[in-house]
Amino acid sequence: DYHLALLVAKELGIPTVKAVEDDYSKLPSLAVEGKADMVMGGYIPDDSIEGIAWSASYLDFGQCLIVPRGSRIKNIKQLRGKTIGAYEDPAVIKWINDNIPDKKALVTYEGVGWFHHLEKRDVDAIIYDYPFTVEEIKPFSSSLQIAAFNLNDSTYAIGIKQGNDDMRTAVNTALL
């Protein structure tokens, strides 16, 4: 996403990009408060995030199912009565609740290293964005595996403070 931000900035004639890092759930408020111009980092357009308008999509992807190596779980139908882990993302949480209603529990995480919870069997499976999974599963390749791909069709977009139509138009133009 940082490299994409650099390309968008270049297209907009902005010479430098300053990345502002914070917890995923706090990033939209930084844009709303004017402390950041754009919100990136794997955001799925979500109208429930107040004060944010969304750009056009910049990546189509799907969620994937991650399980311990050797697990009998191969698809989401087998998550009945199981505890599922997910990254703290309202759109993903909604998808899980809509598509896996008979789970035992849903536990959400923020920050790095949360795959350890699956490795330690605090949860039975994880639902996560495929693009991020590819990198984040690497340190766990001997103990975890992707069991199912393309659980849904989704998109990433850039969040911009609502009402900043010029910025949103410029970002959409840069993404084309």
Side-chain angles (χ1 to χ4, degrees):
D1 279 348
Y2 180 73
H3 294 290
L4 178 58
L6 290 172
L7 292 172
V8 169
K10 182 179 179 183
E11 184 68 27
L12 298 173
I14 299 169
T16 60
V17 171
K18 179 183 175 192
V20 178
E21 294 185 34
D22 208 328
D23 289 338
Y24 183 81
S25 62
K26 295 178 182 175
L27 291 176
S29 65
L30 295 177
V32 171
E33 296 166 8
K35 296 177 182 175
D37 295 308
M38 299 184 295
V39 177
M40 299 179 73
Y43 275 89
I44 299 167
D46 182 354
D47 292 335
S48 72
I49 301 176
E50 293 183 24
I52 295 292
W54 298 99
S55 72
S57 170
Y58 68 88
L59 178 68
D60 297 333
F61 74 98
Q63 301 291 328
C64 65
L65 171 64
I66 306 153
V67 298
R69 285 208 175 274
S71 173
R72 293 183 178 178
I73 299 171
K74 305 293 181 212
N75 60 60
I76 64 169
K77 292 177 184 175
Q78 296 172 311
L79 294 175
R80 181 180 186 168
K82 304 289 187 195
T83 300
I84 302 166
Y87 201 75
E88 182 65 43
D89 176 340
V92 174
I93 293 166
K94 181 182 180 335
W95 184 89
I96 291 170
N97 288 331
D98 290 348
N99 291 280
I100 312 171
D102 51 1
K103 65 194 162 299
K104 178 179 179 182
L106 173 59
V107 181
T108 60
Y109 303 100
E110 255 189 342
V112 296
W114 65 284
F115 276 40
H116 287 290
H117 295 283
L118 178 58
E119 188 177 54
K120 294 187 305 186
R121 304 298 202 282
D122 296 337
V123 295
D124 298 298
I126 290 174
I127 306 290
Y128 195 40
D129 299 6
Y130 175 72
F132 289 113
T133 298
V134 172
E135 287 302 314
E136 292 183 38
I137 200 170
K138 285 179 180 178
F140 304 93
S141 62
S142 65
S143 59
L144 305 178
Q145 65 184 17
I146 300 172
F149 296 90
N150 301 320
L151 300 178
N152 66 337
D153 292 319
S154 197
T155 61
Y156 286 151
I158 297 171
I160 300 146
K161 183 178 180 177
Q162 217 163 31
N164 193 347
D165 296 331
D166 291 341
M167 173 68 89
R168 185 174 174 203
T169 298
V171 168
N172 284 337
T173 300
L175 290 174
L176 297 176

